[in-house]
Amino acid sequence: MNFLSSHLLTLILFFPVLAALVILFLPKDEVKAIRWTALVASLVPFGLSVLLWMRFDSSASGFQFVEQYPWYEAIHSTLHVGVDGLSLTMVLLTTLLTPLAILASFSIKERVKAYMILFLLLETGMLGVFLALDLLIFFVFWEIGLVPMYFLINQWGSEKGERVLWGKVKMQARNYASLKFMIYTMAGSLGLLLAIQMLGVLFQTYDLPSLYLKWNALEGTVMGLPVATVKAIAFWAFVVAFAVKVPVWPFHTWLPDAHTEAPTAGSMILAGVLLKLGAYGFLRLVLPLYPAEAQRFAGALAFLAVMAIVFGAFASYGQTDFKRLVAYSSVNHMGIVLLGIAAAAKVGLNNPDVALNLSKNIALNGAVLQMFNHGLSAAGMFFLVGVIYERTHTRNLNDFGGLFPLVPIYGGILLFTSMASLGLPGLNGFVSEFLVVRGAWPILTVYTAIAMLGLLFTGAYILKSIKQVLHGPLNEHWAHGEHRLTEINVREIVVMAPLMVLMLMIGIWPAWILDVINKAVMMLF
Amino acid sequence: MQFPILSVIVFTPMAAAMLILLIKSERKNEIRVTALAAASLALLLSLWVYFSYDKAAAGYQFVEKYNWMPMLGISLHLGVDGMSAPLVLLTGVVMFTGVLISWGLDDRPREFFAFLFILASGVFGVFASLDLFMLFFFYEIAVFPMYLLISIWGWIKTREYAAMKLTLYLFIGSVVSLIGALVMYWQSGLHTFDMLALEQAAFSPGFQKLWFPFVFFGFAVLGGIFPFHNWSPDGHVAAPTAVSMFHAGVLMKLGAFAALRVGIMLLPEGAKSWSWLIMGLALVNIVYGAFIAMVQTDFKYVIGFSSVSHMGLVMMGFSTLTRVGLTGAGVQMFSHGVMTALFFAAVGMVYDRAHTRDIPRLGGMVKPMPLVAVAFIIGGLVSMGMPGFSGFVAEFPIFMGIWQVRPLVAIIAAISIIVTAAYIMLVIRRVFFGSMPAEFEGHIGPVAVQDKVALVFLCVIMIGLGLFPSLMVPWVQTGVQHLLSLLGGA
Amino acid sequence: MTAFVPSNILAILPEILLLSLGVLVLVLDPFWKEENRRLNLGWLTAGGLLVVLAVSLALARPSAPVLVFGGMLRYDLLGFAFKMLFIFGAAITALFMMDVEQVGRRAEAYLLLLVAALGMSLMASAADLVMLYLAIETTSIPLYILAGFLTGDERSTESGFKYLLFGALTSAVMLYGFSLLYGFSGETSLYALAASFPTFSLLALGTIFLVLVGLSFKVSLFPFHFWAPDVYEGAPTPVAGFLSTASKAAGFAVILRLFTVVFPSLSANWSLILAVLATLTMTVGNLIALAQKNIKRLLAYSSIAHAGYAMIGVVAFSQLGAASTVFYLIAYILTNLAAFGIVTAFGHVAGSDDVKAYYGLSRRAPTLALMMMVAFLSLAGMPPFGGFVAKVFVFAAAIEQGWVWLAVVGVLNSIIGLYYYMTVLKYVYLYRMEGEEEEKHPIPLSRPYAIALTVLTIGIIAVGVIFAPWFGIATGAAMNLF
């Protein structure tokens, strides 16, 4: 038991890798064995993170369950992991969504072994980012997460669809999407890499806690340039990297393609967790390391956030592809996260105004909770799109219509999840959006006002999508014969159930999670 | 007297070559088995040397010294330090996997393995040599077998041209360095070729400034530095698989290492004066090499230019003359060596079956060769510097080193990372994934077990080093420490 | 003038033995049957030469240098080392000569060989102008005849004739130079001449030029190298081999002794002259070799170039320089004899000296191809063969004395050389015969060739790897000069 508690985080982090190794040695034809091994194996980190949650002391400040092991001593980098409320929430989200996504992947029939191995490796990559307290380790896991996702999209993504590049080169849509995803993210991370290198060179350490102190204490000139300039450049380097991931308009163009072409479970994880990596980067790195620059540029960030909210909503509204609609909705929802962060940045550190500080906290709380909530609802939405796609092999909204009587249970679940996404009071979306708006209003009034417009349209597109799928005249095509629509099955319900429970719980009684988040957020910034 | 392990490592391949030449041509299996036995022995011994190296004591270990010609101060002086021990290990690894990959060679395997082993002896000799004369002796031994290996067993379209170009280029480079070395010999007044003594020779700064370019760039030609890199892509492509593995995996490191050993370590002041030029040229290597690789349509040329680009990183690391930069360069020599050996092995396997390397004509190779595909992907991730693999462990410190000296260069060099990612992913997708063209359906045979063993071995090394940098970095650091003391604690 | 001391006989013991062997060959010849003649003659000569070598090494090794026979000869290590080389070279050549039609069965050929070797021995130890000239002629005349020995072959006759004319002409000029030397000093002994040329004078320089004419001819130095390709091509191949090695080495022995002993005060001048000539020799030799389609001509131009390399050591007027030249010649003799021997063996079977005939040799005779590779790589200056070490030392000697540009020229020329040597190897290993039926056209090696080539190959590798003892000998020889 002692081993368990003293190595809890590394266990959570590396268990998926172990599981992947085990699966490596399973014969590739034993599909059932592979699926169930993967599922059971992914439940272990989930169980451990629940344990972590229960053992987490929400009244204490700072990082808990800290572990540090030597890794690359030559450049002063160690495997330093720890959680605070923020990362704990994200870890929980990740370990929850992964088993659900794996369960959702039971319908994958080709090369299941490779698929599951990649999925588990992806989980470790994501967890690593959330748990890292060493900047280099952060970057290592950040990059590691890219590769499995690339292959997941590339190999198991939607088979139809072609893109034409530069007028003549034809490329399969999923290839285009995966390559764009990878290159975009890597290009975005390039600045991050360079900035990290610079930090390592300057301070001879990558340890985050010490970097917080040293970096903020830096004065004078650095490499011939004034500190302020260097910090500003590094700030934007960090911001660009995370902005690509979140994604923030205008760095979002990879997302619709990637989400649309990815296999269902891939989209669930992509929207559910991967986007949060970017937001997490903002919270964990950008705000604490660059409080002054963040404050200076908070207006710009807010502008981008609002653009994301508004354009995301408009773009969603205009889609005919159901999945693409949900993809743009991610842009929209993540914009809200960024708005909260921007608001907090604007207030800055050590602001004497008590009211503003309160708003700042509220905004940050909202942002983090929105991260969690969007994780749930986006995963849910993508899954539901996948459910109907598997049956109908189309995602075109115009092909559907009036399906409610055919698939009432599915319809009910879809309605529920959509409402959560829309922000209906009583469900989780409302709580986080309300917090963000309440927090941002005193700080960034105009931007928030514009953002409300976006939120209005959020409702519009969600309702439109539901109408086109479930309501209206029944599309006879799906009513009879071989195209007869089958109801959602037990496995699929099992996938949605935990998500729905959480959506409801957070909607009615958010305290259990907000307490944890709040404590962390107050310490953070 | 302690067991002369380094001499055994250096001369085993040569002895094996002689032995193989005595076997009748028709007895191909005996030839192959002998070759494998010798390669395994060399590998095991080099592993032993590597892991028995006492990092706390540092310095040169396993030293052997036999007076060869006292009159001129020539001795067979062997020893390894933290920088050369990994390279000795690398040679053992590449030799071993090269023999496995060449198992199926049917045209005069006797001569092939004999020449390959002479080459291997030369390479081992250079890495282990602590005598300047002997370094050249072994260096030239490593050059001329390439000519025969490429021109006889290479790709029929360009082998003659490529072999001649390669040999002449390398020879020119080495004789330029030779002149520099002889000048150093006389200037030192010590009448010895012993490099340990020459390290302390204290040449005048003016002398060093004048002669450093000759010595460094003469060897750096073999390292593939721009603008003397032109022999490399053609040479890589024309050579048969195992020879390409050796060429890119080991030989180019030979050049870089000799440039370090003879150039930087013996003429430190010269190195400091000329580091800007090395940095500039290395930068061209890195960026230009990556861009050129992107537009290639021949699979092997992509890898060839990728080697040019990655060797640029090694030289870049050298040029920083900082602890981290040099450490990164040392690890990069090993990491790139393993990676590129894997690449060429994989390319060779594809070519052997598809009989074409034209990327537009290939596709879907993952189905008949899944292990090759995965291995190639892993190699690709290493070349991109993806964390978790040895490439990152090597490239990251190099960049840190560049930051310490000239941040702008680091930013420019970082572009190559993206370009590398782009072309690697594109190549992987086009060759291994997608649909297999009809002409290959049913014609792609499976990969033999010895090929698989070789690939897995190489992958394990790259992943192991990536996850556990402590498997190599401490060794390199001791070597770097010594280097820095020669540079005056820079 | 030193009085005659019986032990001085040892000074000319090799010469005496050579003469005796020659007489023996001549006497025994009529008693042998026609079909055995070739074998007997060849083995007798070769064996006899080896006996001479062994006996000389055992008994006739000099200790301190001393002038003997009235100052005609100098009994020292320089002369001795060269003598042993010549005898070895002659032995190998005798073995090679055995299979050549019209030559192998004629006792006269072997006798001429022995006389030539005798002359060379005298050249190496000559310490007097008269003796020197006598020795040079004693060497040259048999070689003229040997070059033209294949009376039925037009080219051989032409070669012999050309060699004779050229040789006679240059010899005459050289003699004129000798007479001038005598005129200036009143001395014919080399060791006394130096006193008459204490400082630079145009006359001395002029004399040097005249003397150099003859000697350049002997070592085929530019611009007196023109005879070499034609003569080598036309002469019977083993003779060409002998010409290109032993004869050249004899010339070098004379140059070394003459220039370091007689003109030390003008060393700055003649060094420069020789440096320029060496440069031209190497460059012309290598560049023209690039274009050759006949392997004998290619080797001829290659030999010319090698004379240039060896000359670099002479230019570096120092002990190391002289030692490196001697060492170079040791390695070179082994290497070039091997090259010509291979050409002889091959030409005997294939009947052609065109480079194209060598296509696919590696499949027809793998061992012969390997030996050819060893020889050619040694010529190119690659380790682990003697040629590499020889070149490095020669360049080192040059750099020590400040002749860096000359070393650079030598190095650049090595690169050109590497190109055409590798091209030949490419033909041997890569290209195929017409019809690709190499197994049906093997190249058998007769016993004498096999033995000779094996000895030479081992020698090339031995000199290249364990070079300390050989360099020690060379240094010992060089010490006699400085």
Side-chain angles (χ1 to χ4, degrees), chain C residues 96 237 241 336-346 368 445 449 453 456:
Chain C
F96 284 149
T237 315
N336 231 28
L337 276 177
F340 274 102
I342 293 167
V343 170
T344 317
F346 184 79
L368 190 65
L445 271 184
Y449 278 85
L453 286 173
L456 287 171

Side-chain angles (χ1 to χ4, degrees), chain A residues 29-43:
Chain A
D29 301 315
E30 296 289 329
V31 169
K32 239 177 134 187
I34 294 171
R35 286 184 184 140
W36 282 98
T37 313
L39 181 62
V40 171
S42 64
L43 285 171

Side-chain angles (χ1 to χ4, degrees), chain B residues 231-315:
Chain B
W231 58 274
S232 172
D234 290 318
H236 280 129
V237 173
T241 305
V243 178
S244 297
M245 287 166 76
F246 241 101
H247 170 184
V250 181
L251 230 60
M252 292 180 87
K253 318 298 173 284
L254 201 67
F257 177 77
L260 179 75
R261 203 28 136 228
V262 183
I264 299 182
M265 285 171 83
L266 297 183
L267 299 171
E269 294 301 317
K272 285 190 213 167
S273 321
W274 289 97
S275 64
W276 60 272
L277 180 63
I278 305 173
M279 187 173 266
L281 291 176
L283 185 63
V284 176
N285 262 71
I286 295 172
V287 180
Y288 167 76
F291 276 107
I292 299 276
M294 189 132 87
V295 298
Q296 296 302 318
T297 51
D298 180 321
F299 197 6
K300 217 167 172 182
Y301 267 104
V302 174
I303 310 300
F305 277 106
S306 154
S307 280
V308 170
S309 179
H310 284 92
M311 283 309 290
L313 277 167
V314 173
M315 311 263 199

Side-chain angles (χ1 to χ4, degrees), chain B residues 81-132:
Chain B
D81 72 346
M83 285 294 257
S84 48
L87 295 171
V88 170
L89 179 61
L90 175 69
T91 313
V93 168
V94 176
M95 194 170 144
F96 178 74
T97 48
V99 170
L100 285 175
I101 299 286
S102 311
W103 202 260
L105 188 106
D106 229 20
D107 174 26
R108 292 185 286 174
R110 186 178 79 154
E111 277 81 355
F112 181 81
F113 283 115
F115 294 147
L116 193 66
F117 279 17
I118 293 175
L119 174 66
S121 260
V123 172
F124 274 125
V126 173
F127 285 138
S129 197
L130 293 177
D131 179 286
L132 197 54

Side-chain angles (χ1 to χ4, degrees), chain B residues 14 21 25 68-72 74 107-108 110-111 115 118 133-134 136-141 143-144 147-148 151-153 159-160 163-164 167-168 171-172 175-176 178-179 182-183 186 191 211, chain C residues 320 362-363 366 370 373 377 380-385 388-389 392-393 395-397 399-400 404 407-408 411-412 414-415 418-419 422-423 425-426 428-431 464-468 471-472 475:
Chain B
M14 183 84 79
L21 281 172
S25 293
W68 211 249
M69 198 163 106
M71 200 177 324
L72 287 181
I74 301 175
D107 174 26
R108 292 185 286 174
R110 186 178 79 154
E111 277 81 355
F115 294 147
I118 293 175
F133 182 89
M134 282 302 168
F136 275 99
F137 189 87
F138 287 116
Y139 195 89
E140 303 290 338
I141 293 184
V143 168
F144 80 78
Y147 179 74
L148 292 165
S151 59
I152 303 174
W153 289 276
R159 60 189 177 185
E160 286 179 45
M164 186 62 84
T167 315
L168 288 179
F171 192 58
I172 294 175
V175 292
V176 168
L178 178 65
I179 298 285
L182 287 173
V183 171
W186 292 117
H191 277 287
W211 286 101
Chain C
L320 181 63
S362 62
R363 291 178 207 265
L370 273 172
M373 186 181 84
L377 287 174
M382 282 292 178
F385 307 120
F388 169 75
V389 186
V392 172
F393 287 153
F395 297 148
I399 294 178
E400 185 194 19
V404 180
V408 171
V411 148
L412 290 174
S414 304
I415 296 166
L418 184 65
Y419 177 78
M422 281 201 307
T423 307
L425 287 178
K426 181 174 72 171
V428 166
Y429 273 96
L430 175 60
Y431 285 26
V465 176
I466 309 173
F467 43 87
F471 201 77
T475 312

Side-chain angles (χ1 to χ4, degrees), chain A residues 11 13 78 81 139 236 241 258 266 297 301 319 325 332 368 413 444:
Chain A
L11 272 174
L13 180 58
T78 54
V81 292
F139 185 77
W236 282 109
F297 295 111
L301 284 176
Q319 295 302 320
L325 182 148
N332 168 273
V368 177
I413 297 178
L444 294 164

